[in-house]
Amino acid sequence: MSPPPISVSSTPISIERVTESRLPQVDLANVAFGRVYSDHMLSARCCDGVWEDPRIVPFGDLALHPATAVLHYAQAIFEGMKAHLTDDGVPVLFRPEENWRRMNRSARRMVMAEIPEEIFLGGIRELVRLDRDWIPPNRFGSLYIRPFLFAADPYIGVSPSREYRFHIMTAPVGAYYEGSVSLYVTRKWIRAAEGGIGEAKAAGNYSASYYGMKEAREHGCDNVLWLDSKQHRFIEECGTMNMMFVIGDRVVTPPLGGTILPGVTRDSAIRLLRDQMGTGVDERPVSIEEVAEASADGSLRECFGVGTAAVVTPVARLTGGGVEVRLPEDTPVQDELRERLTSIRLGRSPDPYGWVDRLL
Ligand code: COI
């Protein structure tokens, strides 16, 4: 079934401001990821393919009928983005159009309504301007932006909804991972299979990973290094990050083949490695055995994850599935990559790709 074409009623985004901000109760220098939300959120709905009533309102609970389709069949997708403050105090977004495009690719895959640019990007820009005082100073973190779309029909027949609700909320956040992470290799559980929804940013991909994550934690690890669904050998991603390995003088990263998330940070990292750091990047299948062998012969120099929340996160250890790999502590490639990414994003170095969206 193909979703109806996008159409928007002519209503512009209306704004209802809070009467009193909650910001004075928040310590922006100490916010855990995903626990605190800013004053406003965006709400819009789409009925039978027509978008209506986009509004920014005070942050608050959603009232849902118990039969709301998403609660039963998980027809839900989301995005993750960040706003930062430049050194001269201007709020900036990083490649927001890429998130809008990916959100609509996810919507198509999940047979959901696509979101018009003026609601997705227009809504984010309005919200970030309105809650700009919630953006933590750079040394403490950023304002995480979470757009999400869900099936809202009060109907438990198994079928795509006619009504969708779209919201954007924002949250001041510190680091997602504090320092380096250990990843658990499982040959038993999988995150996604060919022909499935692995490349969509669908809510179900995340809950599907919880069982493996539980095992990972029981083995003292932070998360799972997912392998392919057929041979249980080829590295996919980590659920919160795409993966990169420095083997010899090249960076190797799994290709986008439909089962892993096409990360905006992954794409940005590949471009910076190639164009600015002169580092060859191979997007090719990489097996866990190859990584273990490279570790044994000394050619595995680094392993790191890249993602919006995680930025560039070092991996200290891979364990499980018959593999035990300790990564070197010296990490020059990822350190330089993180520094370059951060400087472009904060307007400290030139932005040759036009990635930064300044919200003046
Ligand atoms: C992100 O990096 O924004 C993600 O969506 C990963 C995770 C926080 C779910």
Side-chain angles (χ1 to χ4, degrees), residues 271-335:
R271 291 227 231 157
L272 292 181
L273 285 160
R274 284 183 179 147
D275 300 355
Q276 297 199 353
M277 294 169 62
T279 308
V281 180
D282 300 321
E283 295 180 70
R284 64 162 173 83
V286 52
S287 70
I288 190 67
E289 287 80 17
E290 177 185 345
V291 170
E293 279 160 27
S295 171
D297 72 19
S299 58
L300 178 66
R301 305 229 161 103
E302 302 182 33
C303 169
F304 55 96
V306 291
T308 299
V311 193
V312 176
T313 292
V315 176
R317 181 181 175 214
L318 305 173
T319 185
V323 167
E324 180 60 46
V325 169
R326 302 257 173 191
L327 276 301
E329 283 180 13
D330 192 26
T331 54
V333 174
Q334 58 187 285
D335 293 347

Side-chain angles (χ1 to χ4, degrees), residues 38-291:
S38 49
D39 282 332
H40 299 91
M41 65 182 196
L42 178 131
S43 296
R45 60 181 210 145
C46 182
C47 293
D48 291 325
V50 180
W51 281 93
E52 54 192 36
D53 202 18
R55 41 206 170 102
I56 289 177
V57 292
F59 183 86
D61 294 345
L62 307 178
L64 294 178
H65 188 288
T68 302
V70 67
L71 302 177
H72 301 271
Y73 309 122
Q75 196 191 7
I77 57 173
F78 69 96
E79 271 301 323
M81 311 158 66
K82 280 176 174 171
H84 288 88
L85 279 182
T86 61
D87 295 337
D88 50 352
V90 178
V92 281
L93 301 171
F94 186 72
R95 307 187 71 185
E97 301 82 6
E98 294 303 318
N99 295 87
W100 173 56
R101 289 193 192 104
R102 187 173 64 187
M103 184 97 183
N104 281 344
R105 288 199 303 272
S106 299
R108 285 194 290 277
R109 178 64 183 83
M110 299 297 288
V111 199
M112 300 174 81
E114 289 180 49
I115 304 160
E117 181 173 3
E118 55 270 42
I119 294 182
F120 188 96
L121 291 174
I124 287 172
R125 290 181 181 127
E126 280 297 338
L127 260 185
V128 172
R129 282 196 189 100
L130 195 60
D131 281 339
R132 58 170 289 156
D133 293 345
W134 285 80
I135 306 176
N138 281 310
R139 62 188 184 285
F140 300 126
S142 57
L143 188 71
Y144 186 78
I145 304 165
R146 171 55 64 90
F148 59 102
L149 178 75
F150 62 88
D153 277 6
Y155 172 59
I156 56 167
V158 179
S159 171
S161 247
R162 294 174 62 183
E163 179 182 341
Y164 293 92
R165 299 230 194 126
F166 177 60
H167 296 277
I168 309 172
M169 57 188 190
T170 66
V173 295
Y176 192 78
Y177 291 116
E178 296 286 350
S180 61
V181 293
S182 296
L183 299 181
Y184 179 66
V185 180
T186 172
R187 308 259 187 186
K188 188 166 183 192
W189 314 115
I190 59 155
R191 174 185 171 277
E194 276 172 39
I197 58 168
E199 70 180 344
K201 211 157 168 62
N205 283 330
Y206 293 79
S207 47
S209 74
Y210 287 174
Y211 199 88
M213 199 187 284
K214 174 175 158 297
E215 272 197 7
R217 290 186 178 155
E218 284 162 4
H219 286 84
C221 294
D222 300 282
N223 216 324
V224 180
L225 182 66
W226 296 105
L227 303 181
D228 75 282
S229 64
K230 285 187 182 150
Q231 300 185 52
H232 303 281
R233 291 182 55 217
F234 292 98
I235 292 162
E236 297 252 299
E237 60 156 273
C238 143
T240 51
M241 315 185 279
N242 293 111
M243 298 305 304
M244 301 206 165
F245 300 86
V246 184
I247 301 179
D249 59 1
R250 300 188 71 80
V251 169
V252 181
T253 192
L256 302 178
T259 55
I260 70 173
L261 188 82
V264 177
T265 313
R266 175 189 181 278
D267 179 75
S268 311
I270 291 173
R271 291 227 231 157
L272 292 181
L273 285 160
R274 284 183 179 147
D275 300 355
Q276 297 199 353
M277 294 169 62
T279 308
V281 180
D282 300 321
E283 295 180 70
R284 64 162 173 83
V286 52
S287 70
I288 190 67
E289 287 80 17
E290 177 185 345
V291 170

